[in-house]
Amino acid sequence: MKKWKSALGFKAIPGLLLAASAASSVLAGNVQSPLQDPVVDAPEPPNWDGFYVGGSVAYSLGFSDRFGVSDDLGRIGDVGDQKPDGFSGGVRGGWRDSIRFATGRQYVYGFEVAYDLANIEGSASGEVNGISSESESKINDQFSLRFKGGISNRSARTLYFSSIGYVNAEVETGLTAGAFSSTVDDRRSGYSLGLGVEHKLSERLSLTGEYEYVKLNSKTVDLGQDISTKSTPRYHGLRLGVNFRF
């Protein structure tokens, strides 16, 4: 019996030592290298900063502008009310910077220059001193310099902005009354106001939609033969475009 116990105990010693060694290794591993959750990097927020170029098209509708006819002695009469409308389109480019908030939103601001070819045209017809008359006004092109600023949504993929800017446009003014016919071109300065939204399709490409209001300076236009008219072009409309950020 003693021999059996002795043999059993002797044979069990290597197993006990092996088990103890394994437990010690596990405990040592737990102390030196505790298990940790995997690190997950948060995605970078969309970047609006830098230079961009783009293009846009717009449909504009003018406010009513009464076309009056005057001579050196004063007002002769009114041809009628013009309400110009039409399309424009062109290219643009700009620069932007941003301020990022802890909520994820961004305040994005910058400057934009644009040039558009336009066909915003209006006409009116009537009688002036018993003479059948027809008037016309047309905006042929438009250069603009705007400051834009706005706040993004939480994901920073959509930007809501407003704009204010300087505008310079070519205005064509014409009058035909009996045997008299004249057309005069001049350039006018003015200002623009806008509200819009821009959404990123990718890190570099975005779509824009904007409401804009443009008012050009009022001017007395000399049509010749001591005949003149005063015009004040004003129009508003919707503009759609695409931007590509460098």
Side-chain angles (χ1 to χ4, degrees), residues 59-87:
Y59 174 74
S60 299
L61 180 66
F63 291 90
S64 178
D65 184 20
R66 183 168 290 267
F67 194 103
V69 179
S70 302
D71 61 13
D72 288 346
L73 299 178
R75 194 175 187 87
I76 300 175
D78 296 328
V79 178
D81 292 334
Q82 296 180 336
K83 294 183 178 180
D85 67 328
F87 291 90

Side-chain angles (χ1 to χ4, degrees), residues 4-25:
W4 178 80
K5 290 182 179 179
S6 176
L8 182 61
F10 178 79
K11 292 181 179 180
I13 289 174
L16 293 174
L17 291 176
L18 182 61
S21 177
S24 176
S25 299

Side-chain angles (χ1 to χ4, degrees), residues 145-176:
L145 172 61
R146 292 185 173 94
F147 172 81
K148 289 186 172 183
I151 296 290
S152 73
N153 63 352
R154 289 185 181 275
S155 69
R157 296 193 65 84
T158 302
L159 178 66
Y160 305 95
F161 65 85
S162 61
S163 67
I164 182 171
Y166 164 82
V167 175
N168 184 273
E170 181 187 16
V171 181
E172 183 179 304
T173 307
L175 173 66
T176 300

Side-chain angles (χ1 to χ4, degrees), residues 2 16 25 39 43 55 79 101 103 113 148 151 161 174 179 228 238 242:
K2 290 182 179 179
L16 293 174
S25 299
V39 177
V79 178
F101 302 104
T103 59
V113 294
K148 289 186 172 183
I151 296 290
F161 65 85
S228 64
L238 296 177
V242 60

Side-chain angles (χ1 to χ4, degrees), residues 39-117:
V39 177
V40 178
D41 293 332
E44 283 291 328
N47 188 0
W48 295 91
D49 301 353
F51 292 93
Y52 65 92
V53 295
S56 67
V57 294
Y59 174 74
S60 299
L61 180 66
F63 291 90
S64 178
D65 184 20
R66 183 168 290 267
F67 194 103
V69 179
S70 302
D71 61 13
D72 288 346
L73 299 178
R75 194 175 187 87
I76 300 175
D78 296 328
V79 178
D81 292 334
Q82 296 180 336
K83 294 183 178 180
D85 67 328
F87 291 90
S88 61
V91 294
R92 60 190 179 188
W95 168 88
R96 290 186 286 211
D97 199 0
S98 63
I99 300 173
R100 301 187 180 190
F101 302 104
T103 59
R105 297 181 186 272
Q106 298 181 29
Y107 173 69
V108 182
Y109 62 94
F111 292 91
E112 180 181 278
V113 294
Y115 178 77
D116 289 280
L117 294 175

Side-chain angles (χ1 to χ4, degrees), residues 101-137:
F101 302 104
T103 59
R105 297 181 186 272
Q106 298 181 29
Y107 173 69
V108 182
Y109 62 94
F111 292 91
E112 180 181 278
V113 294
Y115 178 77
D116 289 280
L117 294 175
N119 185 26
I120 304 172
E121 186 176 10
S123 62
S125 59
E127 289 192 357
V128 178
N129 278 356
I131 300 175
S132 179
S133 305
E134 184 173 344
S135 66
E136 180 183 26
S137 67

